[in-house]
Amino acid sequence: MHKRLEAGWFQRLAWSVLAVGSVGLLVWLPFLYVAIRRGRGSDWGAFGAFALYEVGSLALADLPEGTGETTLGLVAIASLGLAVWLLLGPLFDKPTPRNAMAGAGGPWPAQAPGNPYMR
């Protein structure tokens, strides 16, 4: 079954602020939320990738001074940029229009034009 996960701009911005505001320490949390709610394999893959990033960045942060600082900074900027792009763009489904069924008709056949009493 295809599950949809719609989100407005406020929710998208809130998840992005959480990811950036925690300096990348909680970047995996929005992706865990999406994976649990929607359950797709690709969502679990994104969560796993960002959780692996978190473990790797914490391991890089423990290196002696002077080694890995540039690498850690570039990886952090790239992964946070990717996370914000995913959270603001293609991760959530677009909301369904309220009048999606307006022109689709119904379970009844369409009426012929003209006065129905004069046929």
Side-chain angles (χ1 to χ4, degrees):
M1 174 183 263
H2 179 70
K3 293 183 182 177
R4 293 181 52 82
L5 185 60
E6 298 175 357
W9 279 106
F10 179 75
Q11 184 178 3
R12 292 174 187 221
L13 286 173
W15 283 122
S16 299
V17 166
L18 174 76
V20 175
S22 68
V23 193
L25 292 176
L26 297 176
V27 72
W28 52 270
L29 190 62
F31 297 96
L32 176 64
Y33 168 78
V34 170
I36 289 173
R37 291 283 311 265
R38 203 163 38 183
R40 292 182 188 166
S42 60
D43 294 333
W44 284 107
F47 162 68
F50 280 104
L52 183 64
Y53 152 75
E54 186 61 38
V55 170
S57 66
L58 289 177
L60 276 176
D62 194 32
L63 290 176
E65 188 174 333
T67 57
E69 293 173 357
T70 306
T71 305
L72 179 61
L74 292 175
V75 167
I77 289 172
S79 62
L80 285 177
L82 177 66
V84 168
W85 176 74
L86 284 172
L87 290 169
L88 291 178
L91 184 65
F92 294 100
D93 297 318
K94 293 182 180 178
T96 306
R98 290 183 182 223
N99 59 356
M101 295 297 292
W108 53 88
Q111 292 184 355
N115 189 344
Y117 301 108
M118 301 289 285
R119 291 188 209 157

